[in-house]
Amino acid sequence: MADIKSNLSEIYKKIEEAQKKSKKALAPVKLVAVSKFHPAESVIEAIKAGQNLFGENRIQEAAQKFDFVRSQGYTPELHIIGSLQRNKAKDAVRIASCIESVDRIELMEELEKQCAKISKSIEIYFEIHTGEDSKAGFLTEEALFAAAERCAAGDFPHLIPAGLMTMAPATDDESQIRRSFSTLYNLRATMNEKYPSLKIKELSMGMSGDFEIAIDEGSTAVRIGTAIFGSRA
Ligand SMILES: *Cc1c(COP(=O)(O)O)cnc(C)c1O
């Protein structure tokens, strides 16, 4: 069994150290504890250790788990970080405060529709493909800018574009990982120049294996699972 409490305090220490060393990490770095494949009991253990922000990548699993955790009187915040099908948008909007894996306009249209139905606003991050092996995220700047333009035009009143998200490739080549993260860092500047009304702030980048590099490259939120909850059997 993973010692969730001591893992969390270890991670927070490392985050702080990485942030102190980084010239690009200016805002406090948030920790999204990725609890996918781990049971509700592990989430509750993390909450009791002071963690309130979680990430999940499958809606059905997340809904079951977090409905239960909330029924126990806890009030964790949840981000969806995995690729999202349109028919899961309704549940996603119900259980989460942020969808980090927004990768196409059709999904934004569905999220807007579901948010409007329940009068809820939700944060979205644009997921950007920066070199990871799977093809998750916006693949071209054209597609990303088209989506941002629709937001700037006011087409999605319930969606708050708050950040960018990426996954670096799984490789030992640190320069390749850094290139991924710096691409996201530079893209934020480009987007805020092009669409100043959107005020993109967050850079969600960095996982168990590369979060210190991500912070060095300006991450504002790291998504960490294995180093907190142990391996996913
Ligand atoms: C699973 C997952 C993580 C966490 O990965 P670890 O290596 O366990 O820290 C982060 N981001 C996304 C999108 C994930 O799917």
Side-chain angles (χ1 to χ4, degrees):
M1 275 295 287
D3 186 343
I4 292 170
K5 187 175 176 179
S6 75
N7 289 346
L8 273 168
S9 78
E10 192 67 24
I11 293 288
Y12 271 105
K13 218 185 298 166
K14 286 183 178 165
I15 288 174
E16 202 187 314
E17 279 164 18
Q19 192 180 358
K20 271 191 206 146
K21 276 192 245 161
S22 170
K23 292 192 180 69
K24 287 166 128 184
L26 301 176
V29 178
K30 288 187 250 189
L31 171 59
V32 178
V34 178
S35 48
K36 65 187 186 196
F37 294 100
H38 293 280
E41 289 68 31
S42 297
V43 172
I44 291 171
E45 205 177 320
I47 294 172
K48 285 181 173 164
Q51 180 65 26
N52 198 53
L53 176 57
F54 294 85
E56 288 276 347
N57 67 346
R58 286 153 75 223
I59 302 304
Q60 205 176 351
E61 176 190 344
Q64 278 176 6
K65 197 182 303 181
F66 281 79
D67 282 346
F68 174 77
V69 169
R70 286 167 177 152
S71 78
Q72 302 302 295
Y74 301 103
T75 55
E77 191 185 334
L78 178 63
H79 287 192
I80 300 303
I81 61 172
S83 73
L84 183 56
Q85 292 168 328
R86 258 182 1 178
N87 62 359
K88 302 278 166 53
K90 183 181 177 192
D91 270 333
V93 158
R94 180 177 68 79
I95 62 175
S97 62
C98 175
I99 313 292
E100 296 198 11
S101 41
V102 169
D103 59 359
R104 60 200 191 281
I105 288 178
E106 304 79 67
L107 176 61
M108 293 159 71
E109 285 168 344
E110 187 63 25
L111 290 170
E112 171 59 32
K113 186 170 129 195
Q114 297 300 337
C115 281
K117 272 193 203 163
I118 58 170
S119 300
K120 176 177 177 175
S121 290
I122 194 163
E123 289 196 339
I124 58 167
Y125 296 175
F126 299 108
E127 181 175 359
I128 315 295
H129 186 262
T130 59
E132 190 235 347
D133 303 332
S134 87
K135 288 280 179 283
F138 283 96
L139 294 177
T140 65
E141 284 200 343
E142 290 72 38
L144 171 67
F145 293 159
E149 219 146 90
R150 293 279 305 274
C151 289
D155 287 358
F156 306 114
H158 295 84
L159 307 186
I160 306 160
L164 305 178
M165 186 269 254
T166 201
M167 279 205 261
T171 169
D172 291 334
D173 180 359
E174 190 179 311
S175 66
Q176 218 178 316
I177 295 170
R178 282 191 184 274
R179 204 173 317 131
S180 234
F181 294 148
S182 67
T183 298
L184 205 70
Y185 184 88
N186 294 332
L187 195 52
R188 179 179 60 183
T190 305
M191 286 192 76
N192 283 331
E193 211 168 285
K194 245 172 122 68
Y195 309 102
S197 66
L198 300 188
K199 299 183 178 63
I200 306 287
K201 182 169 156 264
E202 306 292 341
L203 293 179
S204 174
M205 55 191 204
M207 309 183 10
S208 291
D210 58 18
F211 71 94
E212 285 155 308
I213 301 172
I215 293 170
D216 200 45
E217 295 292 341
S219 172
T220 70
V222 292
R223 309 177 307 272
I224 297 181
T226 310
I228 297 169
F229 297 106
S231 61
R232 297 178 284 270

